[in-house]
């Protein structure tokens, strides 16, 4: 329905352009996929496995509507066997096979995370666990063998379980020794693998961690602090952790006379007004974008943390300029809906029920929005004047015949927007699809399937590439989007 005073939505979901394909990418462009330790590896003694145990004990895995995570629940967890819960995708037994598959698919890079709890599974350890080190050594060896560039994440949502034991009455990131413990882990990664890591991602999606773990309570540590102001202490700790890791990696590279690029992965949703004709929806959408996206990344750039909608302004020592590139994770748009009678009580919707056909919501109900990808890349490029790596982009879809049309379409549409952003000055140097394999999607459990490669959980974790995997290979081989790749999607 279009009201007389303006339209609900402006401009469609993809960019118009007079430019004609092929759309080529530069030599040396990184093409790969991204994963995270907890989502694909065997369980380690960390905060998430403690949460899973709790969920299984209390039976908090009711069939809920996908995409509506609720605190204390993991969607449908009880429908998966103990073996699947413990082994996730069983990457541990298939390191060589999986990385060979990436290479056969022509990927030239791979983003993965090193689990803190795998290197330091027990409290008070003075050196990393040799088995944990041996595990990641095998990953690096296979990547080297197949000439894939490693991009390594240090913190992707999980911490050792012992980190949450009370230390002088404080737990986790609130402990007085939190940063010291983090430093021990970062130093262990550097000592053992520093020379093999050209690109570091210190923290994955700090604001998602803060939002899900401290405001919504759907991730450990399951807090529901009342509003963004109360989350400032954890935001500061994450900024300090990032700045420290940046410094340690740079110092190590300088000592070795080597090079390393250090940054972090930022979740950049496009926040849009649900009703473009409603000024309060528009203003609130911009405010949320500022709070959720730009506050953190501006702080990393300037060294000053300002928190939107509060008066908080604070200098964080050693933080200014601690990124060599900006890591962008992009999954589409969220709509902001306000109510004039209660202006501070807004809703954030994953798609608009009135424009379903245009939104094409995925299996989690998330609206796709390729044009927003270009917008976020261009804004990022203009704001920070740094190289950009897309560290995640993908969707959840699991058709029975593995012909994942929506993933294929989005892959092509999003890469076209990325290419356009490059033409308009955004220095994007690599693209990592989320994800290589289906995996454990946090509070949503195993149900949403993000893989280019399907995991058959009923049959020994068998890998079955979906059609999108071949399409991605074709794009990588040509290092371009050719007319034949674009045409089936009306582009
Ligand atoms: C996270 C991933 C997650 C993906 C899909 C990102 O927020 O970094 O761990 O699986 O999005 O939801």
């Amino acid at each position: 329905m279009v009201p007389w005073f303006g339209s609900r939505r402006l401009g469609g979901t993809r960019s118009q352009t007079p430019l004609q394909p092929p759309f080529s990418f530069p030599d040396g462009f990184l093409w790969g996929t991204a994963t995270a330790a907890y989502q694909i590896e065997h369980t380690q003694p960390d905060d998430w496995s403690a949460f899973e145990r709790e969920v299984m004990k209390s039976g908090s895995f009711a069939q809920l509507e996908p995409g509506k995570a609720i605190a204390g629940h993991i969607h449908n967890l009880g429908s998966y066997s103990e073996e699947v819960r413990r082994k996730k995708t069983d990457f541990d037994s298939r390191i060589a096979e999986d990385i060979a598959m990436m290479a056969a698919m022509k990927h030239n890079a791979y983003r993965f995370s090193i689990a803190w709890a795998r290197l330091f599974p027990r409290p008070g350890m003075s050196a990393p666990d040799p088995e944990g080190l041996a595990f990641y050594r095998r990953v690096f060896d296979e990547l080297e063998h197949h000439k894939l560039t490693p991009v390594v994440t240090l913190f992707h949502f999980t911490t050792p379980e012992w980190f949450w034991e009370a230390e002088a009455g404080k737990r986790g990131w609130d402990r007085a020794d939190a940063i010291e413990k983090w430093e021990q882990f970062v130093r262990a990664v550097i000592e053992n693998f520093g020379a093999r890591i050209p690109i570091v991602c210190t923290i994955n999606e700090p604001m998602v961690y803060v939002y899900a773990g401290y405001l919504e309570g759907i991730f450990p540590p399951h807090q529901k602090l009342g509003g963004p102001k109360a989350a400032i202490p954890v935001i500061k700790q994450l900024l300090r952790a990032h700045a420290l890791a940046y410094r340690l990696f740079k110092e190590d590279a300088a000592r070795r006379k080597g090079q390393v690029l250090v940054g972090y992965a930022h979740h950049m949703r496009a926040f849009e007004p649900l009703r473009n004709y409603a000024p309060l929806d528009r203003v609130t959408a911009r405010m949320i974008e500022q709070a959720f996206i730009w506050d953190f990344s501006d702080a990393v750039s300037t060294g000053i943390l300002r928190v939107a909608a509060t008066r908080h302004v604070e200098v964080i020592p050693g933080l200014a300029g601690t990124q060599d590139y900006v890591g962008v994770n992009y999954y589409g748009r969220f709509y902001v809906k306000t109510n004039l009678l209660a202006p501070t009580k807004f809703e954030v919707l994953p798609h608009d029920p009135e424009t379903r056909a245009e939104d094409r919501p995925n299996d989690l109900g998330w609206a796709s929005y390729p044009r927003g990808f270009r917008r976020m890349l261009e804004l990022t490029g203009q704001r920070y004047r740094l190289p950009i790596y897309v560290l995640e982009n993908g969707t959840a879809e699991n058709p029975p015949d593995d012909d994942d049309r929506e993933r294929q379409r989005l892959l092509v549409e999003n890469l076209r927007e990325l290419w356009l952003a490059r033409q308009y000055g955004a220095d994007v140097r690599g693209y990592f699809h989320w994800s290589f394999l289906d995996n454990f999607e946090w509070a949503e459990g195993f149900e949403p399937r993000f893989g280019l490669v399907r995991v058959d959980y009923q049959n020994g974790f068998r890998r079955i590439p979906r059609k999108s995997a071949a399409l991605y290979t074709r794009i990588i081989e040509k290092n371009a989007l050719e007319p034949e790749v674009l045409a089936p999607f009306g582009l």
Side-chain angles (χ1 to χ4, degrees):
M1 183 189 58
V2 180
W4 64 269
F5 46 92
S7 60
R8 189 169 177 91
R9 203 70 17 86
L10 298 172
T13 61
R14 37 198 213 186
S15 297
Q16 303 294 320
T17 176
L19 302 169
Q20 295 302 318
F23 300 140
S24 303
F25 295 89
D27 286 347
F29 194 83
L30 293 186
W31 293 108
T33 57
T35 62
Y38 192 83
Q39 297 177 271
I40 65 165
E41 294 176 12
H42 290 187
T43 293
Q44 303 301 320
D46 56 27
D47 50 351
W48 265 88
S49 57
F51 176 31
E52 276 197 59
R53 272 200 313 276
E54 210 35 58
V55 165
M56 289 309 295
K57 209 157 63 192
S58 60
S60 312
F61 44 74
Q63 288 271 11
L64 300 162
E65 209 181 314
K68 293 241 165 82
I70 56 167
H73 276 65
I74 297 180
H75 184 66
N76 226 358
L77 189 64
S79 307
Y80 289 80
S81 69
E82 191 275 333
E83 189 191 12
V84 169
R85 282 186 271 118
R86 183 163 44 82
K87 296 186 177 170
K88 299 296 186 285
T89 70
D90 198 24
F91 176 67
D92 298 41
S93 321
R94 292 152 209 269
I95 297 174
E97 180 195 317
D98 281 349
I99 294 175
M101 194 186 252
M102 294 173 199
M105 290 177 179
K106 307 293 176 193
H107 303 185
N108 60 19
Y110 173 48
R111 174 182 173 224
F112 64 101
S113 77
I114 293 187
W116 184 353
R118 195 152 199 160
L119 298 200
F120 291 92
R122 294 173 299 283
M125 291 171 69
S126 57
D129 184 71
E131 273 182 42
L133 291 176
F135 176 83
Y136 291 111
R137 202 165 293 124
R138 277 166 48 216
V139 177
F140 281 105
D141 287 349
E142 291 302 328
L143 292 174
E144 199 170 294
H145 176 67
H146 291 286
K147 301 194 174 49
L148 268 75
T149 300
V151 176
V152 175
T153 309
L154 300 173
F155 173 46
H156 197 126
F157 297 162
T158 61
T159 56
E161 195 175 354
W162 56 256
F163 192 57
W164 298 92
E165 286 165 11
E167 179 73 26
K170 305 271 190 195
R171 303 161 65 241
W173 293 106
D174 290 334
R175 286 164 59 139
D177 64 355
I179 295 292
E180 205 181 294
K181 297 289 176 199
W182 163 256
E183 176 168 356
Q184 181 191 39
F185 164 58
V186 177
R187 283 189 186 277
V189 172
I190 292 174
E191 267 158 41
N192 290 281
F193 307 117
R196 306 180 85 172
I197 307 179
I199 306 181
V200 181
C201 166
T202 58
I203 300 179
N204 180 69
E205 301 187 340
M207 291 308 291
V208 170
Y209 180 70
V210 169
Y211 189 78
Y214 290 81
L215 295 173
E216 256 191 328
I218 58 169
F219 285 12
H222 306 294
Q223 296 193 24
K224 285 193 179 179
L225 302 175
K229 211 168 167 186
I232 292 173
V234 62
I235 294 176
K236 277 167 46 182
Q237 283 293 65
L238 297 177
L239 287 167
R240 290 190 192 110
H242 164 79
L244 177 67
Y246 180 90
R247 181 169 64 75
L248 295 176
F249 268 92
K250 297 306 265 190
E251 283 173 2
D252 176 64
R255 249 192 320 270
R256 290 185 282 109
K257 301 209 185 344
Q259 301 249 319
V260 64
L261 293 179
V262 187
Y264 70 99
H266 210 28
H267 188 95
M268 296 201 179
R269 254 327 141 157
F271 290 100
E272 301 254 322
L274 181 70
R275 301 151 302 184
N276 197 58
Y277 54 81
L280 194 59
D281 284 7
R282 292 214 296 271
V283 172
T284 310
R286 284 297 148 265
M287 197 268 291
I288 295 174
E289 177 179 319
Q290 181 62 41
F292 192 73
I293 300 175
W294 306 116
D295 281 354
F296 196 96
S297 52
D298 285 354
V300 172
S301 169
T302 61
I304 303 166
L305 173 66
R306 287 174 206 276
V307 181
T310 74
R311 291 175 182 212
H312 194 92
V313 182
E314 185 178 352
V315 174
I316 311 282
L319 180 64
T322 52
Q323 56 183 355
D324 303 323
Y325 70 89
V326 185
V328 172
N329 291 4
Y330 181 83
Y331 286 95
R333 67 175 152 194
F334 276 171
Y335 295 108
V336 176
K337 182 185 181 194
T338 56
N339 174 354
L340 271 178
L341 300 177
T344 56
K345 289 208 166 39
F346 51 82
E347 281 176 75
V348 176
L349 308 176
H351 68 262
D352 180 353
E354 284 193 26
T355 56
R356 266 195 95 87
E358 183 181 89
D359 278 348
R360 307 196 318 262
N362 73 6
D363 289 355
L364 282 165
W366 300 351
S368 71
Y369 187 42
R371 200 159 61 93
F373 189 29
R374 173 177 167 194
R375 176 173 177 268
M376 297 319 288
L377 293 172
E378 288 180 12
L379 285 179
T380 301
Q382 287 155 10
R383 204 166 179 118
Y384 304 115
R385 306 255 154 230
L386 287 172
I388 297 171
Y389 288 94
V390 174
L391 293 180
E392 285 183 33
N393 173 240
T395 193
E397 187 193 11
N398 187 24
D401 60 357
D402 295 320
D403 186 2
D404 48 352
R405 293 289 296 174
E406 275 305 310
R407 185 175 290 102
Q408 293 165 56
R409 174 209 286 263
L410 268 180
L411 182 62
V412 168
E413 286 183 336
N414 281 328
L415 287 174
R416 178 176 166 278
E417 300 288 340
L418 185 158
W419 184 88
L420 282 166
R422 280 185 50 84
Q423 307 317 300
Y424 288 88
D427 182 13
V428 187
R429 299 189 181 179
Y431 174 87
F432 293 80
H433 192 81
W434 185 273
S435 182
F436 178 58
L437 296 168
D438 290 342
N439 57 58
F440 177 78
E441 177 57 21
W442 309 112
E444 299 290 345
F446 288 95
E447 229 75 319
R449 304 294 167 89
F450 277 88
L452 294 173
V453 176
R454 174 158 71 88
V455 174
D456 187 349
Y457 293 103
Q458 267 75 49
N459 290 295
F461 305 95
R462 207 157 52 102
R463 276 44 173 158
I464 301 133
R466 295 196 172 95
K467 288 235 167 106
S468 53
L471 176 65
Y472 193 36
T473 300
R474 175 161 179 189
I475 295 167
I476 299 171
E477 275 180 323
K478 302 284 175 190
N479 207 26
L481 296 166
E482 305 162 289
E484 308 82 76
V485 155
L486 294 157
F489 305 102
L491 288 166

